[in-house]
Amino acid sequence: MEPFVAPFKFLPNSFGKLGTMKALIRSFLLSLAAVTLAGTAAFAKTPTDAMGPELWSEAMAARAVHANAVKNDRYMVVIDYRRHSSEPRFFLIDMESMTADEYLVSHGQGSDSDHDGIADTFSNISGSKMTSLGTFVTAETYYGKHGLSLRLDGLDEANSLARDRAIVIHGADYVYGGGKKIGRSWGCPALERAVAEEMIPRIAEGTLIYTRGPELDAKLYAQIVNQAG
């Protein structure tokens, strides 16, 4: 004996009711999507919100000074070494959406000899294990002892030996959140491993990196400050 299946009957105005229901569902889903996007946008920071108007103005002036070196103009990086190493101070700016993402980044052992998380000494000298300041441009990638790494070329006197010193962006286990401070490099701006793996391919081959120290050196920043107004 076959199982009994009740026939589905269309009641008068069924199509109208179904159409109304579909319209309500569609309206609800659109509203939900709008709320979700609004929430996402609310958490996205502008460069000014992320780093402050003064530093962003300096960075844009540095970009203008070194415009000929910029080959990858989708992104720009700003590093504020005035901040403690436990704070996000590596800013990746999407130049199309004008939004900034923040990440942890290391400084050199020689720049923080007492390991208190604050970089207060900078150098361009090989073997110093210090961070260099100034404006850099990213170059080619390679795989080394730290995995995927990104070479940097210094564009100023203060960082002209960056390539010779092997100052590169790479991932490191000593860079992680939640602690009082992060580990130190030998002068490289090291990132969390997962961040480095994802970011390096995007910013390779011609992205400008502007770095700021605790004091504004007159010689190093004269052009930049003048253009920034």
Side-chain angles (χ1 to χ4, degrees), residues 47-194:
T48 299
D49 290 337
M51 69 189 74
E54 179 187 0
L55 180 55
W56 178 232
S57 179
E58 285 180 20
M60 288 300 289
R63 184 181 173 89
V65 170
H66 299 291
N68 291 337
V70 178
K71 307 302 179 187
N72 181 352
D73 58 4
R74 171 65 189 272
Y75 298 103
M76 180 175 175
V77 172
V78 180
I79 305 176
D80 189 356
Y81 287 115
R82 296 172 297 182
R83 299 191 182 197
H84 192 273
S85 69
S86 63
E87 300 177 53
R89 52 185 182 169
F90 182 108
F91 305 100
L92 175 66
I93 298 95
D94 185 323
M95 300 299 288
E96 289 187 3
S97 63
M98 276 298 163
T99 55
D101 293 322
E102 304 168 308
Y103 303 95
L104 295 171
V105 65
S106 70
H107 53 243
Q109 292 179 16
S111 293
D112 179 11
S113 57
D114 55 0
H115 200 191
D116 63 356
I118 298 174
D120 44 33
T121 308
F122 301 88
S123 175
N124 191 36
I125 299 174
S126 295
S128 67
K129 297 182 181 179
M130 292 185 188
T131 293
S132 295
L133 295 177
T135 308
F136 303 78
V137 66
T138 64
E140 74 276 13
T141 61
Y142 69 99
Y143 282 88
K145 64 180 180 179
H146 297 293
L148 180 63
S149 303
L150 178 59
R151 295 195 190 278
L152 303 178
D153 288 317
L155 301 178
D156 300 314
E157 266 187 59
N159 58 22
S160 60
L161 297 179
R163 180 174 284 267
D164 293 341
R165 295 178 61 205
I167 301 300
V168 303
I169 294 177
H170 62 78
D173 293 333
Y174 53 76
V175 182
Y176 55 87
K180 293 183 178 179
K181 58 191 174 187
I182 63 174
R184 298 165 298 171
S185 66
W186 283 12
C188 296
L191 303 167
E192 293 182 75
R193 285 199 180 278

